[in-house]
Amino acid sequence: MFVGREKELRDLDKMYRSDKFEFAVIYGRRRVGKTALISHFIQDKKAIYFMGVESNEKQNLENFSKSIFEYVEGVQSGLVFDSFQTALEYVFQLAQKERIIIAIDEYPYVARVSKGLASTLQMLIDKYKDNSKLMLIICGSSMSYIEDHVLAYKAPLYGRRTAQMKILPFDFAETCRCFNNFSDEDKAIIYGIVGGTPQYLLQMDDKLSIGENIRNTFLNTSSFLFEETENLLKQEVRDTANYNAIITSIATGASRMSEISAKIGENTSVCSNYLKNLISLGIIKKEIPYGEKSSRKSIYRIADNMFRFWYRFIPANTSIIMRGAVDLAYRRIEPQLSDYMGSVFEDICGQYLWNMLINGKLPVEFAELGRWWGNDPVSRSQTEIDIMAVQDRNTALFGECKWTNEKVDLGVLEILVKRSQIFHYNNTWLYLFAKNGFTKGCQEEAEKLGNVSLVTFQDIMDYIYNIV
């Protein structure tokens, strides 16, 4: 079953219906669903689909030729073009008479061994674009290659594309659509342990418990998820040992550059380069307190949930997992899951607020949303705010998120009120999010204050079910 990607499909369909030359670049991390998106889009259209392989130019040209002749003749003829230029020009000429899609998947594999391919495409696009009905799609999983050799200013294909799509993992609402049998809480936990990457979601069985799913994947040495982080890093970077060390240090509590540097035993300039690459891959994110520009307070967090879960729990349990003590490993992980879900819940709450904003249901119209941390001048201590968003000089939103089994009490609301007063906005709106609801005292105080919204996890789920 194909789920999500409605916007991308609408954009591709609009390009298709233009009936003129179009060139879309689709890229994103491995397993994120790029091939599924292309396959779904072209399934009822005249299309040539070719996936590059990590081989030499001859093998890729043979495979490309098979794809073209199978489209033209309906069978594999065994004929092979003498060059990529001849093959591509043949397709461009075909597309002068009818609308044709040609999708080159895993383009970096082909372009790396066919050095002139980008320049050939540039020449043919310039030659045929004004009288061609071709829709060209180039797709790649190596984000650095696509950004440097296709999208960059100095790349031969720069300026030729008519659209580019960076395919991202599903958000929480889209993830929920993938499962019918999980409870709402289990859907949140699944999102917390594998994120919204479609291929990882396919490994989860909603007829099993969370524990069984973790045992069958992360704690199973024959499951591809057990070695997925290492395999992904090997495909994108060279020095995997230092990258592993950096991600592990962040997963186990280091967040500032100095802490990460000390943990892995490298100087900060070396760490900085590694972190830049991890950020570009979408594995790590750099954060500064909301509303501030100084990077002095910068911290680093793991952006991808699957990486965050894996590095938080698997390295510490590798020895017992390798010995087959799966139940023992899970018994060590399970008590920590609630604490682990704290930041995942913050992310889910942030997504909820963005959805509310887009649908015109928030009192604060913000342009960005984030966390804040720093010094409280009243208590003279370090403090933090889970969610903060500003509309203008007068109006702001502050939020606190609690993923606990107990009902959130009045004290949590009072703390949020005090933290919001660190800033001096005339109109403040407070959002208190709770996994399991609020005490009567908290509800009464919220009603008395008048600017407080109490939102349960069930409220979020009800809203998601109404919008999907």
Side-chain angles (χ1 to χ4, degrees):
M1 181 180 68
F2 187 85
V3 174
R5 307 302 184 203
E6 283 88 357
K7 181 184 184 303
E8 290 86 352
L9 286 169
R10 283 197 305 271
D11 291 344
L12 287 169
D13 193 57
K14 183 179 179 181
M15 294 172 70
Y16 180 77
R17 287 186 285 104
S18 76
D19 213 35
K20 63 181 181 180
F21 175 76
E22 299 281 4
F23 174 20
V25 178
I26 298 175
Y27 69 114
R29 266 185 38 203
R30 298 177 195 281
R31 325 287 196 199
V32 82
K34 303 179 298 300
T35 299
L37 169 64
I38 294 170
S39 298
H40 188 76
F41 170 64
I42 68 174
Q43 66 182 356
D44 58 349
K45 302 174 179 69
K46 292 183 177 181
I48 300 166
Y49 175 82
F50 161 61
M51 176 175 282
V53 293
E54 210 167 0
S55 183
N56 58 20
E57 182 175 14
K58 181 176 182 293
Q59 181 66 63
N60 276 299
L61 181 57
E62 287 177 1
N63 293 344
F64 189 37
S65 299
K66 285 178 185 177
S67 299
I68 294 171
F69 286 119
E70 190 170 350
Y71 167 78
V72 174
E73 301 177 6
V75 294
Q76 292 187 4
S77 66
L79 296 173
V80 179
F81 288 98
D82 60 9
S83 69
F84 272 103
Q85 179 170 335
T86 307
L88 286 163
E89 187 148 25
Y90 179 75
V91 175
F92 270 90
Q93 290 171 351
L94 281 177
Q96 289 181 304
K97 300 174 184 176
E98 61 179 352
R99 186 55 147 175
I100 298 174
I101 302 169
I102 181 166
I104 304 176
D105 205 347
E106 292 301 353
Y107 170 82
Y109 286 159
V110 189
R112 284 192 182 108
V113 295
S114 308
K115 300 300 182 184
L117 182 58
S119 296
T120 296
L121 274 170
Q122 175 196 5
M123 180 270 291
L124 292 173
I125 290 169
D126 291 347
K127 179 178 178 181
Y128 288 101
K129 65 180 179 181
D130 294 331
N131 58 357
S132 176
K133 295 182 178 182
L134 183 69
M135 181 172 179
L136 170 64
I137 298 174
I138 278 179
C139 180
S141 297
S142 176
M143 294 198 293
S144 57
Y145 188 94
I146 294 293
E147 288 170 350
D148 293 343
H149 297 278
V150 178
L151 302 178
Y153 178 74
K154 293 183 179 180
L157 290 171
Y158 177 80
R160 272 74 183 177
R161 71 185 184 275
T162 53
Q164 73 277 329
M165 299 179 183
K166 186 174 183 178
I167 308 301
L168 300 173
F170 290 154
D171 63 14
F172 178 57
E174 291 171 313
T175 297
C176 289
R177 295 170 60 185
C178 299
F179 303 107
N180 296 320
N181 298 312
F182 279 134
S183 69
D184 290 341
E185 183 176 333
D186 283 353
K187 288 176 183 177
I189 296 172
I190 288 293
Y191 181 69
I193 65 179
V194 294
T197 300
Q199 190 60 39
Y200 305 154
L201 293 170
L202 286 171
Q203 309 309 307
M204 301 292 113
D205 186 343
D206 64 1
K207 294 181 176 64
L208 302 178
S209 68
I210 293 296
E212 288 171 312
N213 273 289
I214 292 174
R215 289 183 183 94
N216 291 344
T217 53
F218 291 99
L219 307 184
N220 178 1
T221 56
S222 64
S223 164
F224 94 84
L225 277 178
F226 180 71
E227 294 185 339
E228 176 68 354
T229 56
E230 186 175 353
N231 289 334
L232 274 177
L233 286 175
K234 283 178 180 176
Q235 290 167 347
E236 295 288 352
V237 300
R238 293 179 182 175
D239 184 7
T240 57
N242 272 327
Y243 283 101
N244 265 315
I246 285 175
I247 302 171
T248 301
S249 71
I250 296 172
T252 54
S255 59
R256 300 185 185 276
M257 179 71 79
S258 57
E259 296 169 345
I260 297 167
S261 174
K263 266 199 169 185
I264 72 165
E266 293 282 359
N267 63 50
T268 55
S269 62
V270 171
C271 283
S272 178
N273 288 328
Y274 287 125
L275 284 164
K276 283 178 184 175
N277 290 335
L278 289 169
I279 290 168
S280 71
L281 291 172
I283 297 170
I284 298 295
K285 59 183 174 182
K286 180 181 180 179
E287 293 184 345
I288 58 174
Y290 182 89
E292 298 187 18
K293 295 180 180 179
S294 169
S295 61
R296 237 175 1 99
K297 295 181 181 177
S298 295
I299 63 170
Y300 296 88
R301 302 176 77 193
I302 299 178
D304 181 275
N305 283 349
M306 190 276 290
F307 271 79
R308 198 161 66 87
F309 182 84
W310 196 97
Y311 280 92
R312 168 82 175 263
F313 297 115
I314 304 309
N317 292 292
T318 298
S319 296
I320 59 176
I321 294 169
M322 296 303 291
R323 288 176 173 270
V326 173
D327 290 338
L328 173 59
Y330 184 70
R331 285 201 299 273
R332 294 175 64 174
I333 293 170
E334 197 269 340
Q336 303 178 59
L337 277 178
S338 182
D339 176 65
Y340 170 83
M341 283 296 297
S343 60
V344 177
F345 188 48
E346 288 178 24
D347 180 33
I348 290 171
C349 296
Q351 292 179 29
Y352 166 80
L353 290 173
W354 274 111
N355 268 306
M356 292 281 282
L357 172 72
I358 291 166
N359 289 304
K361 296 183 177 181
L362 270 191
V364 178
E365 295 184 355
F366 54 82
E368 58 180 341
L369 178 150
R371 296 193 310 133
W372 181 88
W373 60 94
N375 185 58
D376 181 343
V378 176
S379 65
R380 295 183 179 181
S381 61
Q382 289 293 302
T383 190
E384 63 180 60
I385 299 170
D386 292 342
I387 293 174
M388 181 174 175
V390 173
Q391 175 176 306
D392 51 39
R393 294 179 182 178
N394 295 312
T395 305
L397 177 154
F398 300 90
E400 182 76 15
C401 312
K402 294 294 182 185
W403 185 264
T404 59
N405 289 327
E406 298 77 27
K407 291 182 182 295
V408 171
D409 62 17
L410 175 59
V412 177
L413 175 56
E414 290 174 338
I415 290 171
L416 180 58
V417 170
K418 288 178 181 177
R419 288 176 180 172
S420 71
Q421 292 169 349
I422 295 172
F423 305 87
H424 304 289
Y425 292 98
N426 294 328
N427 303 312
T428 58
W429 298 88
L430 308 181
Y431 277 75
L432 200 53
F433 296 92
K435 175 186 174 186
N436 280 327
F438 307 89
T439 62
K440 185 177 179 182
C442 184
Q443 293 177 44
E444 289 173 348
E445 182 64 16
E447 190 173 347
K448 187 190 304 181
L449 290 171
N451 65 335
V452 180
S453 294
L454 302 180
V455 183
T456 65
F457 175 59
Q458 191 58 55
D459 292 333
I460 294 175
M461 295 305 299
D462 290 344
Y463 181 74
I464 285 173
Y465 293 140
N466 284 328
I467 63 172
V468 297

